[in-house]
Amino acid sequence: MNPRSLLFVTADSERKLAKSADADGEWNFALRSARLQCLLVARALAVDPIETVTTDFRNLDALRAECLRARAAGFTAKLAIHPEQVGVINDAFQPSPAELEHARRVIAAFEAAPGSGAVALDGSMIDIVHLHAARRLLGSRKG
């Protein structure tokens, strides 16, 4: 874990924001909003946003689904409260070979066009945001 991270921890938020779930069992609006703000602030500060724990530690299928949703939202990791969760979390947040290859190709496209703010790749225009995301995925924070 990056020593410069921002954690979203629901237990603290639940005490401050009252009831945690709505009638459908989903987080209430206040918790969803706090989670989004954590993610946005972490990105603005260029630190890793870390998702909260899954307290149902024996339900590894639910954990995996939560991890995939968190990763899709932009979180870079998830807290674990039980050793059995670690492997599922690590697998879910590990980039696929295709994602790694795409990131390498994005970086190569920008390196082939120094100073450009946007380049073409696979018939689409990509911009500096894509370059930053590719570098972040590959663990490089240059530029």
Side-chain angles (χ1 to χ4, degrees), residues 57-74:
F57 67 93
R58 296 197 193 282
N59 189 343
L60 299 181
D61 291 332
L63 172 65
R64 177 160 183 72
E66 286 183 18
C67 288
L68 294 175
R69 282 193 302 273
R71 184 169 182 243

PDB file of all heavy atoms in Angstrom, residues 57-74:
ATOM      1  N   PHE A  57     -16.947 -11.732   6.068  1.00  0.00           N
ATOM      2  CA  PHE A  57     -15.644 -12.225   5.611  1.00  0.00           C
ATOM      3  C   PHE A  57     -15.667 -13.643   5.061  1.00  0.00           C
ATOM      4  O   PHE A  57     -14.740 -14.057   4.385  1.00  0.00           O
ATOM      5  CB  PHE A  57     -14.597 -12.101   6.728  1.00  0.00           C
ATOM      6  CG  PHE A  57     -14.834 -12.982   7.909  1.00  0.00           C
ATOM      7  CD1 PHE A  57     -14.248 -14.242   7.966  1.00  0.00           C
ATOM      8  CD2 PHE A  57     -15.617 -12.562   8.968  1.00  0.00           C
ATOM      9  CE1 PHE A  57     -14.445 -15.061   9.066  1.00  0.00           C
ATOM     10  CE2 PHE A  57     -15.818 -13.367  10.065  1.00  0.00           C
ATOM     11  CZ  PHE A  57     -15.232 -14.623  10.120  1.00  0.00           C
ATOM     12  N   ARG A  58     -16.723 -14.384   5.287  1.00  0.00           N
ATOM     13  CA  ARG A  58     -16.797 -15.751   4.755  1.00  0.00           C
ATOM     14  C   ARG A  58     -17.410 -15.803   3.351  1.00  0.00           C
ATOM     15  O   ARG A  58     -17.277 -16.804   2.664  1.00  0.00           O
ATOM     16  CB  ARG A  58     -17.594 -16.640   5.695  1.00  0.00           C
ATOM     17  CG  ARG A  58     -16.938 -16.795   7.052  1.00  0.00           C
ATOM     18  CD  ARG A  58     -17.500 -17.989   7.805  1.00  0.00           C
ATOM     19  NE  ARG A  58     -17.101 -17.979   9.199  1.00  0.00           N
ATOM     20  CZ  ARG A  58     -15.908 -18.356   9.639  1.00  0.00           C
ATOM     21  NH1 ARG A  58     -14.989 -18.743   8.796  1.00  0.00           N
ATOM     22  NH2 ARG A  58     -15.628 -18.332  10.931  1.00  0.00           N
ATOM     23  N   ASN A  59     -18.071 -14.739   2.915  1.00  0.00           N
ATOM     24  CA  ASN A  59     -18.712 -14.707   1.604  1.00  0.00           C
ATOM     25  C   ASN A  59     -17.731 -14.138   0.580  1.00  0.00           C
ATOM     26  O   ASN A  59     -17.748 -12.952   0.252  1.00  0.00           O
ATOM     27  CB  ASN A  59     -19.992 -13.869   1.659  1.00  0.00           C
ATOM     28  CG  ASN A  59     -20.799 -13.985   0.394  1.00  0.00           C
ATOM     29  OD1 ASN A  59     -20.301 -14.418  -0.655  1.00  0.00           O
ATOM     30  ND2 ASN A  59     -22.054 -13.577   0.462  1.00  0.00           N
ATOM     31  N   LEU A  60     -16.882 -15.012   0.057  1.00  0.00           N
ATOM     32  CA  LEU A  60     -15.827 -14.575  -0.854  1.00  0.00           C
ATOM     33  C   LEU A  60     -16.372 -14.178  -2.226  1.00  0.00           C
ATOM     34  O   LEU A  60     -15.766 -13.360  -2.919  1.00  0.00           O
ATOM     35  CB  LEU A  60     -14.752 -15.656  -0.971  1.00  0.00           C
ATOM     36  CG  LEU A  60     -14.038 -15.999   0.344  1.00  0.00           C
ATOM     37  CD1 LEU A  60     -12.969 -17.057   0.120  1.00  0.00           C
ATOM     38  CD2 LEU A  60     -13.458 -14.766   1.014  1.00  0.00           C
ATOM     39  N   ASP A  61     -17.517 -14.731  -2.628  1.00  0.00           N
ATOM     40  CA  ASP A  61     -18.133 -14.316  -3.899  1.00  0.00           C
ATOM     41  C   ASP A  61     -18.610 -12.870  -3.815  1.00  0.00           C
ATOM     42  O   ASP A  61     -18.401 -12.084  -4.740  1.00  0.00           O
ATOM     43  CB  ASP A  61     -19.301 -15.232  -4.267  1.00  0.00           C
ATOM     44  CG  ASP A  61     -18.842 -16.637  -4.639  1.00  0.00           C
ATOM     45  OD1 ASP A  61     -17.693 -16.777  -5.116  1.00  0.00           O
ATOM     46  OD2 ASP A  61     -19.633 -17.578  -4.445  1.00  0.00           O
ATOM     47  N   ALA A  62     -19.243 -12.519  -2.707  1.00  0.00           N
ATOM     48  CA  ALA A  62     -19.681 -11.131  -2.514  1.00  0.00           C
ATOM     49  C   ALA A  62     -18.478 -10.203  -2.430  1.00  0.00           C
ATOM     50  O   ALA A  62     -18.496  -9.094  -2.979  1.00  0.00           O
ATOM     51  CB  ALA A  62     -20.537 -11.017  -1.259  1.00  0.00           C
ATOM     52  N   LEU A  63     -17.425 -10.652  -1.769  1.00  0.00           N
ATOM     53  CA  LEU A  63     -16.204  -9.855  -1.670  1.00  0.00           C
ATOM     54  C   LEU A  63     -15.634  -9.579  -3.055  1.00  0.00           C
ATOM     55  O   LEU A  63     -15.286  -8.438  -3.374  1.00  0.00           O
ATOM     56  CB  LEU A  63     -15.172 -10.577  -0.808  1.00  0.00           C
ATOM     57  CG  LEU A  63     -13.778  -9.948  -0.774  1.00  0.00           C
ATOM     58  CD1 LEU A  63     -13.819  -8.569  -0.128  1.00  0.00           C
ATOM     59  CD2 LEU A  63     -12.798 -10.871  -0.049  1.00  0.00           C
ATOM     60  N   ARG A  64     -15.567 -10.624  -3.881  1.00  0.00           N
ATOM     61  CA  ARG A  64     -15.016 -10.444  -5.232  1.00  0.00           C
ATOM     62  C   ARG A  64     -15.864  -9.443  -6.018  1.00  0.00           C
ATOM     63  O   ARG A  64     -15.335  -8.559  -6.687  1.00  0.00           O
ATOM     64  CB  ARG A  64     -14.952 -11.773  -5.980  1.00  0.00           C
ATOM     65  CG  ARG A  64     -14.441 -11.606  -7.409  1.00  0.00           C
ATOM     66  CD  ARG A  64     -13.916 -12.897  -7.988  1.00  0.00           C
ATOM     67  NE  ARG A  64     -13.384 -12.718  -9.311  1.00  0.00           N
ATOM     68  CZ  ARG A  64     -12.255 -12.101  -9.613  1.00  0.00           C
ATOM     69  NH1 ARG A  64     -11.516 -11.600  -8.668  1.00  0.00           N
ATOM     70  NH2 ARG A  64     -11.846 -11.979 -10.847  1.00  0.00           N
ATOM     71  N   ALA A  65     -17.178  -9.556  -5.927  1.00  0.00           N
ATOM     72  CA  ALA A  65     -18.063  -8.621  -6.629  1.00  0.00           C
ATOM     73  C   ALA A  65     -17.842  -7.193  -6.135  1.00  0.00           C
ATOM     74  O   ALA A  65     -17.779  -6.251  -6.938  1.00  0.00           O
ATOM     75  CB  ALA A  65     -19.524  -9.033  -6.456  1.00  0.00           C
ATOM     76  N   GLU A  66     -17.699  -7.020  -4.823  1.00  0.00           N
ATOM     77  CA  GLU A  66     -17.439  -5.689  -4.277  1.00  0.00           C
ATOM     78  C   GLU A  66     -16.098  -5.149  -4.753  1.00  0.00           C
ATOM     79  O   GLU A  66     -15.973  -3.972  -5.078  1.00  0.00           O
ATOM     80  CB  GLU A  66     -17.459  -5.721  -2.739  1.00  0.00           C
ATOM     81  CG  GLU A  66     -18.842  -5.844  -2.164  1.00  0.00           C
ATOM     82  CD  GLU A  66     -18.835  -5.792  -0.641  1.00  0.00           C
ATOM     83  OE1 GLU A  66     -17.832  -5.331  -0.045  1.00  0.00           O
ATOM     84  OE2 GLU A  66     -19.847  -6.207  -0.043  1.00  0.00           O
ATOM     85  N   CYS A  67     -15.093  -6.014  -4.799  1.00  0.00           N
ATOM     86  CA  CYS A  67     -13.769  -5.600  -5.278  1.00  0.00           C
ATOM     87  C   CYS A  67     -13.831  -5.139  -6.730  1.00  0.00           C
ATOM     88  O   CYS A  67     -13.240  -4.107  -7.088  1.00  0.00           O
ATOM     89  CB  CYS A  67     -12.770  -6.746  -5.153  1.00  0.00           C
ATOM     90  SG  CYS A  67     -12.261  -7.133  -3.473  1.00  0.00           S
ATOM     91  N   LEU A  68     -14.519  -5.888  -7.564  1.00  0.00           N
ATOM     92  CA  LEU A  68     -14.605  -5.525  -8.983  1.00  0.00           C
ATOM     93  C   LEU A  68     -15.352  -4.210  -9.174  1.00  0.00           C
ATOM     94  O   LEU A  68     -14.962  -3.382 -10.003  1.00  0.00           O
ATOM     95  CB  LEU A  68     -15.253  -6.655  -9.780  1.00  0.00           C
ATOM     96  CG  LEU A  68     -14.435  -7.949  -9.833  1.00  0.00           C
ATOM     97  CD1 LEU A  68     -15.209  -9.047 -10.552  1.00  0.00           C
ATOM     98  CD2 LEU A  68     -13.069  -7.720 -10.478  1.00  0.00           C
ATOM     99  N   ARG A  69     -16.405  -3.985  -8.393  1.00  0.00           N
ATOM    100  CA  ARG A  69     -17.116  -2.705  -8.456  1.00  0.00           C
ATOM    101  C   ARG A  69     -16.220  -1.564  -7.982  1.00  0.00           C
ATOM    102  O   ARG A  69     -16.187  -0.489  -8.587  1.00  0.00           O
ATOM    103  CB  ARG A  69     -18.397  -2.751  -7.633  1.00  0.00           C
ATOM    104  CG  ARG A  69     -19.549  -3.478  -8.303  1.00  0.00           C
ATOM    105  CD  ARG A  69     -20.883  -3.243  -7.602  1.00  0.00           C
ATOM    106  NE  ARG A  69     -20.891  -3.645  -6.211  1.00  0.00           N
ATOM    107  CZ  ARG A  69     -21.170  -4.879  -5.780  1.00  0.00           C
ATOM    108  NH1 ARG A  69     -21.466  -5.826  -6.645  1.00  0.00           N
ATOM    109  NH2 ARG A  69     -21.170  -5.156  -4.485  1.00  0.00           N
ATOM    110  N   ALA A  70     -15.483  -1.797  -6.918  1.00  0.00           N
ATOM    111  CA  ALA A  70     -14.591  -0.759  -6.387  1.00  0.00           C
ATOM    112  C   ALA A  70     -13.489  -0.436  -7.389  1.00  0.00           C
ATOM    113  O   ALA A  70     -13.165   0.740  -7.619  1.00  0.00           O
ATOM    114  CB  ALA A  70     -13.989  -1.210  -5.058  1.00  0.00           C
ATOM    115  N   ARG A  71     -12.921  -1.454  -8.004  1.00  0.00           N
ATOM    116  CA  ARG A  71     -11.866  -1.233  -9.002  1.00  0.00           C
ATOM    117  C   ARG A  71     -12.419  -0.469 -10.195  1.00  0.00           C
ATOM    118  O   ARG A  71     -11.795   0.466 -10.702  1.00  0.00           O
ATOM    119  CB  ARG A  71     -11.270  -2.559  -9.456  1.00  0.00           C
ATOM    120  CG  ARG A  71     -10.124  -2.367 -10.419  1.00  0.00           C
ATOM    121  CD  ARG A  71      -9.366  -3.663 -10.654  1.00  0.00           C
ATOM    122  NE  ARG A  71      -8.258  -3.402 -11.537  1.00  0.00           N
ATOM    123  CZ  ARG A  71      -8.124  -3.947 -12.733  1.00  0.00           C
ATOM    124  NH1 ARG A  71      -9.005  -4.818 -13.182  1.00  0.00           N
ATOM    125  NH2 ARG A  71      -7.089  -3.641 -13.501  1.00  0.00           N
ATOM    126  N   ALA A  72     -13.612  -0.844 -10.656  1.00  0.00           N
ATOM    127  CA  ALA A  72     -14.233  -0.142 -11.784  1.00  0.00           C
ATOM    128  C   ALA A  72     -14.513   1.314 -11.436  1.00  0.00           C
ATOM    129  O   ALA A  72     -14.439   2.189 -12.303  1.00  0.00           O
ATOM    130  CB  ALA A  72     -15.522  -0.854 -12.194  1.00  0.00           C
ATOM    131  N   ALA A  73     -14.812   1.589 -10.173  1.00  0.00           N
ATOM    132  CA  ALA A  73     -15.080   2.961  -9.743  1.00  0.00           C
ATOM    133  C   ALA A  73     -13.801   3.782  -9.651  1.00  0.00           C
ATOM    134  O   ALA A  73     -13.855   5.012  -9.685  1.00  0.00           O
ATOM    135  CB  ALA A  73     -15.786   2.957  -8.389  1.00  0.00           C
ATOM    136  N   GLY A  74     -12.648   3.118  -9.518  1.00  0.00           N
ATOM    137  CA  GLY A  74     -11.383   3.843  -9.448  1.00  0.00           C
ATOM    138  C   GLY A  74     -10.567   3.590  -8.200  1.00  0.00           C
ATOM    139  O   GLY A  74      -9.474   4.135  -8.053  1.00  0.00           O
TER     140      GLY A  74
END
